Amino acid sequence: MQMRGVKMEYYCNECKKTITEKVFRFSKNKFTIPLCIEHQQTTKETILLYKELKKYNLPIRLEYWDNYKRTDIAIMGKTKILIEVDGIYHNSDYKQAFRDLMRTYYSFEKGNFTLRIPNSLVKSKVAETAKFIAKFFVENTFQQNKR
């Protein structure tokens, strides 16, 4: 997109990396926010919840990498709250469910707390879901400050 000889620059809404106009347009069309290719490796439900959580001014990150695994959304604090927005496969396949349980445990060993949120909940009650997740963060911060 050119405006009188000035080249328009586009940036990822999450990491602020420069993105091409093509990536910008694709992301805006699919997710309604500009994201680099790395941060597009997510679902519409994750983006929906991410956008709702942003309204609470939480220190959140999309597609967070903790040097072990990728998490859909992370709320950064003394204890990270890791949010996995899961499709039906995570509940219907026992092998996947057990892998998820192991990931949750190993993450807990590192001092992180994992919330598994079903896609169906995000689709039907995203505002209420985000409100309760924000309450988790506030309570977690309160508990950490008491120690």
Side-chain angles (χ1 to χ4, degrees):
M1 199 180 211
Q2 297 278 341
M3 294 189 313
R4 295 186 185 183
V6 177
K7 184 179 178 186
M8 186 77 163
E9 291 196 12
Y10 302 96
Y11 300 93
C12 174
N13 196 56
E14 179 62 19
C15 66
K16 310 303 181 216
K17 289 180 186 172
T18 303
I19 58 177
T20 66
E21 182 178 357
K22 183 178 178 181
V23 171
F24 172 85
R25 290 184 186 281
F26 175 83
S27 181
K28 287 286 285 180
N29 183 49
K30 184 171 181 180
F31 301 111
T32 72
I33 57 175
L35 296 169
C36 64
I37 292 172
E38 178 183 335
H39 286 109
Q40 289 180 26
Q41 307 305 311
T42 193
T43 64
K44 289 183 180 181
E45 292 82 12
T46 297
I47 295 294
L48 188 62
L49 182 58
Y50 169 80
K51 287 168 53 175
E52 196 67 30
L53 287 168
K54 293 279 275 184
K55 294 176 182 177
Y56 289 92
N57 294 317
L58 299 172
I60 63 174
R61 296 206 184 142
L62 180 66
E63 294 297 314
Y64 176 73
W65 175 254
D66 70 356
N67 294 319
Y68 174 68
K69 64 177 174 54
R70 181 196 61 78
T71 301
D72 295 328
I73 300 170
I75 304 176
M76 311 306 284
K78 287 182 182 177
T79 299
K80 290 181 192 78
I81 298 175
L82 307 177
I83 302 167
E84 294 288 356
V85 182
D86 291 340
I88 195 165
Y89 177 70
H90 290 267
N91 297 320
S92 62
D93 180 289
Y94 77 92
K95 290 178 184 177
Q96 181 62 49
F98 190 71
R99 281 192 298 269
D100 290 344
L101 178 62
M102 289 188 317
R103 285 178 58 179
T104 298
Y105 173 76
Y106 294 130
S107 187
F108 185 72
E109 277 188 321
K110 291 181 175 183
N112 302 321
F113 182 76
T114 303
L115 290 174
R116 296 197 166 277
I117 308 296
N119 277 344
S120 59
L121 185 58
V122 174
K123 288 177 185 176
S124 62
K125 293 198 170 276
V126 68
E128 296 90 334
T129 302
K131 181 179 178 180
F132 272 96
I133 292 171
K135 286 182 176 187
F136 267 101
F137 177 75
V138 170
E139 182 62 27
N140 180 54
T141 302
F142 175 74
Q143 294 295 330
Q144 291 292 327
N145 289 335
K146 280 179 34 178
R147 293 181 188 162

